[in-house]
Amino acid sequence: MVVIMKEPIQTLQEWINESQRIVFFGGAGVSTESDIPDFRSVDGLYSQKYDEPPETILSHSYFNRWPEKFFRFYRDKMLYLDAEPNAAHKKLAELEAAGKLTAVVTQNIDGLHQKAGSKSVQELHGSVLRNYCTRCHKFYPVEAVKNDPAPVPRCSCGGIIKPDVVLYEESLDDDTVNTAIHHIRQADTLIIGGTSLVVYPAASLIQYYRGNRLVLINLAPTPYDRRADLVVTGKIGEVFSQINVN
């Protein structure tokens, strides 16, 4: 008997139709279609030339030792405040509004999921939109960092205003991780998109998924492709633009 395989998009559509507790786990590739560069592609930050590698500049120790150089890079390469949500962000917000998606777990720090209308968003690596004083812990909007003419933005108390993002050498927030794990454990479908799944510990969270509908959507192969129940090769926004929300 010849078994005719369905098209990946058709299968994805059917699984979404049948699901009630979808969780989406996304990486930098979700925002590249909003013109925010990722790190590891040909045009990503890791491929660009700086005095030090981006992963060095965006580290806790570098921030403490050379805050002026940190903020020069950060303001130039990490803030894309004019970016708008793309088809992926919007479709995920629609799925949540329809009661089919319970959470977005994201490695991104741009806030585009919330801008698209998503409410249940777990930001594993924080957000550029939140900033706080390292001395008195007063919170500041992103404009306090972006528009401050001083090389290093400072609070009224004199402390440095630090972006509420997880730098290299820093740990993920326990509450955020535990909430993400809870949603992943309860999911009947886990969709992973726009991530190479090589950044740990974030990538390790998918081991908590207990279902049998693991979907990977990415332009390039990932280490988890063989574990997936469905692999869709393509841009995440272009894939989701073909999905209807019932």
Side-chain angles (χ1 to χ4, degrees), residues 174-196:
D174 286 341
D175 289 341
T176 302
V177 171
N178 289 334
T179 302
I181 289 173
H182 169 76
H183 285 298
I184 291 171
R185 276 179 171 159
Q186 299 298 318
D188 56 13
T189 298
L190 177 61
I191 303 174
I192 301 173
T195 174
S196 58

Side-chain angles (χ1 to χ4, degrees), residues 20-168:
Q20 296 299 324
R21 297 187 308 278
I22 301 170
V23 170
F24 178 80
F25 182 98
V30 178
S31 292
T32 53
E33 290 170 88
S34 294
D35 295 325
I36 296 179
D38 64 4
F39 275 68
R40 289 176 172 79
S41 68
V42 174
D43 298 319
L45 289 177
Y46 282 178
S47 301
Q48 299 178 26
K49 303 299 182 182
Y50 298 97
D51 292 340
E52 296 95 354
E55 64 266 37
T56 298
I57 301 173
L58 296 174
S59 68
H60 179 81
S61 56
Y62 194 94
F63 171 83
N64 287 332
R65 293 186 65 183
W66 295 289
E68 289 190 16
K69 294 168 71 174
F70 170 89
F71 278 106
R72 187 182 309 128
F73 177 90
Y74 182 82
R75 286 164 168 155
D76 185 38
K77 296 298 181 183
M78 303 302 293
L79 297 179
Y80 295 86
L81 304 186
D82 294 330
E84 293 294 331
N86 59 54
H89 300 105
K90 295 175 182 177
K91 190 67 66 174
L92 290 166
E94 288 181 37
L95 287 168
E96 181 184 20
K100 301 188 74 64
L101 182 141
T102 58
V104 169
V105 180
T106 180
Q107 299 175 83
N108 295 337
I109 58 177
D110 49 49
L112 289 182
H113 285 293
Q114 293 92 328
K115 195 172 185 178
S118 291
K119 307 297 183 185
S120 179
V121 182
Q122 300 304 313
E123 297 172 306
L124 296 176
H125 296 156
S127 172
V128 298
L129 303 181
R130 300 187 302 269
N131 303 268
Y132 66 93
C133 173
T134 54
R135 180 182 297 176
C136 73
H137 304 293
K138 177 181 178 180
F139 269 81
Y140 284 88
V142 65
E143 290 78 15
V145 171
K146 182 175 178 62
N147 300 331
D148 193 326
V152 178
R154 292 190 177 273
C155 174
S156 55
C157 76
I160 295 177
I161 300 174
K162 180 184 181 295
D164 190 15
V165 299
V166 179
L167 302 178
Y168 289 94

Side-chain angles (χ1 to χ4, degrees), residues 190-240:
L190 177 61
I191 303 174
I192 301 173
T195 174
S196 58
L197 291 174
V198 296
V199 176
Y200 285 82
S204 65
L205 297 186
I206 67 174
Q207 70 180 321
Y208 293 98
Y209 178 57
R210 296 294 181 260
N212 57 4
R213 289 178 172 176
L214 175 60
V215 181
L216 292 184
I217 306 172
N218 205 44
L219 277 172
T222 79
Y224 284 82
D225 284 7
R226 291 185 178 180
R227 299 190 192 181
D229 302 293
L230 177 65
V231 176
V232 183
T233 302
K235 294 182 178 180
I236 185 75
E238 293 180 359
V239 170
F240 271 124

